[in-house]
Amino acid sequence: MSLEKISSQLKHSGTEQKLPPVELWDPPYCGEMNLVIKKDGSWYHNGTVFKRQKLVKLFASVLKKERDDYFLVTPVEKIKITVEDVPFILSQWSWGQEGEYGDMHLATNLGDEFIFGENHPLHIADNGCLYVTVRRNLLAKVHRNVFYQWADLAKERITPQGTELILPCGGHELVLGRF
């Protein structure tokens, strides 16, 4: 399977306008592709970085995670790719119209935009890295600059388990860490 063939299928299926329902698709497995999403969020095919952001966004729209594996999925085929950590980087954030500690608007390196909350929770990995659910079961790693900005605004709270660093937002709390 070639990138050109997948790109053509996606363009003809109209997926450039909105996210396709990949969770409903269960096409046959067609093998692996030498496509890697690096830890920094950059995409590589056969060792060469993708230079066209539009193409990366197109492929990201059909990205699906099953257990620990990632696939590009169309209605007729499913191709395994490699993801070094997670497919997205949480690169931007801002307070909503309510101002500080109101709704927190988040954005990934590929332009996914959403509001932190129940559908987009924060996860703390065993190694201390922070991740946010973007869509379906796909995660974005919180970029270091975003974490430092949050840590600067966060408040300390003493609990029986120790001290937590929390950031209230939109009726929720981001627990940035415990020590």
Side-chain angles (χ1 to χ4, degrees):
M1 177 54 51
S2 70
L3 286 176
E4 292 78 22
K5 186 172 179 185
I6 294 173
S7 181
S8 174
Q9 285 179 358
L10 293 173
K11 286 180 183 175
H12 291 3
S13 68
T15 58
E16 292 182 306
Q17 306 304 319
K18 61 181 182 175
L19 290 174
V22 298
E23 63 279 1
L24 302 177
W25 298 343
D26 192 23
Y29 178 71
C30 296
E32 295 185 29
M33 176 186 286
N34 187 4
L35 192 149
V36 179
I37 303 175
K38 300 283 190 176
K39 288 181 182 180
D40 68 358
S42 58
W43 290 51
Y44 284 77
H45 180 254
N46 288 332
T48 303
V49 70
F50 278 78
K51 293 183 179 171
R52 293 179 46 208
Q53 188 74 351
K54 198 172 186 179
L55 186 60
V56 171
K57 287 181 180 184
L58 180 66
F59 287 135
S61 73
V62 293
L63 187 61
K64 183 177 183 180
K65 183 178 180 188
E66 295 177 357
R67 291 178 286 288
D68 292 330
D69 296 321
Y70 291 87
F71 301 90
L72 296 180
V73 181
T74 71
V76 295
E77 54 196 352
K78 175 166 108 175
I79 299 170
K80 187 176 179 182
I81 66 167
T82 301
V83 178
E84 291 183 345
D85 187 13
V86 295
F88 306 111
I89 303 294
L90 186 69
S91 57
Q92 298 177 34
W93 75 280
S94 64
W95 295 117
Q97 293 179 350
E98 305 84 13
E100 192 169 322
Y101 306 119
D103 285 343
M104 183 182 286
H105 296 247
L106 306 173
T108 71
N109 58 319
L110 297 183
D112 289 279
E113 296 180 358
F114 49 94
I115 297 174
F116 170 77
E118 200 171 294
N119 294 326
H120 305 283
L122 183 74
H123 312 274
I124 302 175
D126 292 339
N127 64 4
C129 291
L130 300 178
Y131 299 89
V132 175
T133 301
V134 177
R135 55 181 141 95
R136 302 175 189 119
N137 59 346
L138 300 175
L139 301 177
K141 185 175 186 176
V142 176
H143 192 279
R144 185 174 294 168
N145 289 340
V146 171
F147 173 77
Y148 288 148
Q149 291 170 25
W150 288 351
D152 189 47
L153 295 170
K155 302 173 185 311
E156 287 186 15
R157 176 172 63 195
I158 308 297
T159 69
Q161 294 79 26
T163 303
E164 294 179 331
L165 195 57
I166 63 158
L167 183 59
C169 61
H172 301 279
E173 288 183 341
L174 285 171
V175 178
L176 301 178
R178 295 179 177 92
F179 49 96

